[in-house]
């Protein structure tokens, strides 16, 4: 089918959850995607923070080919070789003790919330005073299932599905006083993105994280770090919390972990994990042989190639270039980021939208989030000249926008 036919068919056949950009991709290689006419697009979105190693990475395609010839699925009633291997790698890089594997970010969040509720139950049985409330943050995003969406701040994502799970309260991000006011022994968990992704690239300050850690430690409430977007090297450290020195109790992962395959994970301390006994939680597909083999390959490749240092160096280079661009174009009102997780705040939503469209016309894929923020999540394997290409295109687009703006005035 051609793009036009696909659009017509989807409009008729699919539940309308997405307003897609009218581009039809048929393959990818390295940091480029190719449409049905063979035209190349430079990808600075990575499938929303998934394709850390780019497209058709030989290590990943080899792992998929090898594992698919051996074993795709066994179910979690039996052993296979992959889960211990992956858990070994992930606990080593995260400082956590144990892992649970699932298929997506929202599922990981769901499991994390269940661990926190169950853990509070264990503490109560031991005579400790702790409630069932969950604190989440304004502009936070944790997924779309009932539990995860209850902790997701945007009203549009939550309100049509009410009633949601009770006992969730939102705190202003990086606001120590608001956190102190809302935290109490009623709280069993605090859910935080150490770098907010969908919310527009906002970085939790080390002081704020230290306060959250201190108060949760005093009551036994679990600190859940949602590292689904900012984890696994995206910020130049394995995990976003490693920039602050604060160690959470539970860490959730997905996006980058599968190199393009759907893989999620919950990592946690022994203390958190003691709340879960056989039968309490589970999944048919989670932690399957293919997912584990590929995720191990992703982690090993990031390690061998010293990719984190590359992410830090190129992230700094990109941010410097964007800040220089902001000097020239005042419609860029802020540049925020860590590693290759970068946002540029634009003066208006309409302008941000038009920049997105014009970058696409120049065959560069970026993303607009939180209305006014251009979000850049390139594959880690980009080089300086790719950044130069994106910054030059932005410069051209913004110069044209400024000229158009003067003419209109
Ligand atoms: C994408 C995302 C999720 C949800 O992950 P899915 O795999 O889409 O369910 C949760 N939290 C954060 C921070 C995310 O970026």
């Amino acid at each position: 089918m051609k793009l036009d036919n696909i659009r017509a068919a989807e409009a008729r056949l699919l539940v309308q959850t997405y307003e897609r950009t009218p581009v039809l991709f048929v393959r990818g290689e390295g940091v480029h995607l190719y449409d049905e006419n063979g035209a190349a697009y430079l990808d600075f979105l990575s499938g929303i923070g998934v394709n850390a190693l780019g497209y058709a990475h030989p290590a990943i395609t080899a792992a998929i080919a090898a594992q698919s010839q051996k074993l795709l699925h066994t179910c979690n009633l039996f052993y296979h070789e992959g889960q211990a291997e992956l858990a070994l790698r992930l606990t080593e890089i995260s400082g956590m003790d144990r892992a649970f594997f699932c298929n997506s970010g929202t599922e990981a969040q769901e499991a994390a919330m269940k661990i926190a509720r169950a853990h509070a139950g264990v503490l109560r049985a031991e005579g400790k005073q702790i409630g069932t409330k969950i604190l989440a943050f304004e502009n936070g995003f944790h997924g779309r299932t009932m539990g995860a969406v209850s902790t997701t701040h945007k009203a549009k994502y939550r309100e049509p599905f009410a009633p949601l799970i009770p006992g969730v309260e939102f705190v202003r991000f990086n606001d120590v006083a608001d956190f102190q006011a809302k935290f109490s022994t009623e709280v069993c968990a605090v859910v935080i993105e150490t770098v907010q992704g969908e919310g527009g690239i906002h970085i939790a300050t080390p002081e704020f994280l230290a306060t959250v850690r201190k108060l949760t430690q005093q009551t036994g409430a679990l600190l859940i770090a949602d590292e689904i977007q900012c984890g696994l090297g995206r910020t130049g450290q394995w995990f976003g919390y490693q920039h602050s020195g604060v160690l959470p109790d539970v860490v959730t992962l997905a996006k980058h972990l599968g190199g393009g395959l759907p893989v999620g994970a919950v990592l946690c301390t022994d203390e958190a994990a003691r709340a879960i006994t056989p039968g309490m939680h589970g999944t048919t597909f989670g932690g399957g042989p293919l997912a584990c083999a590929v995720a191990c390959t992703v982690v090993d490749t990031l390690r061998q190639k010293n990719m984190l240092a590359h992410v830090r160096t190129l992230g700094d280079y990109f941010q410097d270039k964007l800040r220089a661009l902001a000097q020239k174009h005042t419609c860029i009102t802020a540049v925020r980021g860590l590693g290759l997780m970068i946002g540029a705040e634009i003066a208006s939503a309409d302008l941000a939208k038009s920049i997105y469209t014009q970058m696409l016309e120049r065959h560069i894929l970026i993303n607009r989030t939180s209305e006014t923020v251009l979000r850049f999540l390139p594959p880690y394997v980009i080089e300086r000249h790719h950044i130069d290409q994106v910054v030059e295109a932005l410069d051209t687009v913004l110069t044209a926008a400024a000229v158009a703006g003067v003419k209109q005035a």
Side-chain angles (χ1 to χ4, degrees), residues 104-106 141-143 193 226 228-229 255:
S104 68
T106 200
F141 181 89
H142 301 292
E193 292 164 88
D226 178 344
I228 292 164
Q229 191 164 146
K255 294 199 163 90

Side-chain angles (χ1 to χ4, degrees), residues 373-395:
V373 180
L374 301 180
R375 177 172 48 169
F376 306 95
L377 297 170
Y380 305 172
V381 292
I382 55 161
E383 298 295 341
R384 275 170 209 264
H385 65 93
H386 298 120
I387 292 172
D388 294 342
Q389 192 185 331
V390 169
V391 172
E392 276 162 33
L394 274 173
D395 193 12

Side-chain angles (χ1 to χ4, degrees), residues 31-263:
V31 299
H32 291 96
L33 278 163
Y34 295 85
D35 69 14
E36 82 279 27
N37 303 315
Y41 290 70
L42 176 58
D43 177 29
F44 265 47
L45 182 58
S46 309
I48 318 186
V50 169
N51 304 308
L53 295 170
Y55 297 90
H57 191 285
I60 293 182
T61 55
I64 292 173
Q67 188 59 46
S68 69
Q69 284 160 13
K70 286 195 282 185
L71 186 65
L72 283 181
H73 178 76
T74 54
C75 88
N76 278 303
L77 301 179
F78 307 101
Y79 291 94
H80 65 78
E81 294 165 321
Q83 289 198 15
E85 288 287 349
L86 183 55
L88 200 63
R89 286 162 175 77
L90 294 179
T91 52
E92 203 172 289
I93 60 177
S94 65
M96 295 290 108
D97 300 316
R98 291 174 183 274
F100 168 78
F101 297 115
C102 52
N103 310 288
S104 68
T106 200
E107 265 181 71
Q109 282 303 123
E110 211 70 26
M113 291 169 78
K114 287 176 75 176
I115 289 171
R117 285 274 175 84
H119 180 256
V122 168
L123 293 186
R124 275 195 298 282
E126 291 169 357
K128 224 172 162 157
Q129 196 193 340
I130 183 162
T132 58
K133 267 181 70 172
I134 296 174
L135 294 185
F137 293 91
E138 291 183 5
N139 299 315
F141 181 89
H142 301 292
R144 308 285 201 153
T145 53
M146 258 331 178
V149 87
S150 301
T151 61
T152 289
H153 183 241
K154 205 181 203 178
K156 184 181 172 180
Y157 296 165
R158 270 185 300 122
E159 286 174 355
F161 309 106
L164 300 174
I165 67 157
V168 175
E169 192 172 7
F170 293 99
V171 178
R172 274 196 297 279
F173 195 63
N174 278 337
D175 187 330
V176 169
D178 197 38
F179 186 78
Q180 284 168 334
K182 287 172 180 161
F183 187 81
S184 72
T185 54
E186 283 305 304
V187 173
C188 73
V190 177
V191 189
I192 190 166
E193 292 164 88
T194 52
V195 184
Q196 289 185 329
E198 304 300 307
I201 316 295
H202 295 281
I203 303 163
T205 64
E207 306 75 52
F208 185 67
L209 286 173
T211 304
V212 172
R213 180 68 288 183
K214 195 171 121 222
L215 294 191
T216 48
Q217 226 146 27
Q218 283 168 3
T219 65
L222 297 184
L223 175 54
I224 301 171
D226 178 344
E227 296 273 340
I228 292 164
Q229 191 164 146
C230 63
L232 228 68
R234 173 55 67 187
T235 66
Q237 297 290 344
W238 282 112
F239 296 96
Y241 58 83
Q242 289 167 343
H243 292 272
S244 71
V246 161
L247 196 64
D249 304 294
V250 182
V251 176
T252 55
L253 276 181
K255 294 199 163 90
H256 301 98
L257 183 57
L261 284 186
V263 186

Side-chain angles (χ1 to χ4, degrees), residues 307-325:
M307 206 73 86
L308 299 197
H310 182 72
V311 168
R312 287 194 293 273
T313 308
L314 288 212
D316 289 347
Y317 179 75
F318 194 6
Q319 279 203 55
D320 286 348
K321 289 234 151 186
L322 287 172
R323 292 223 162 79
L325 208 60

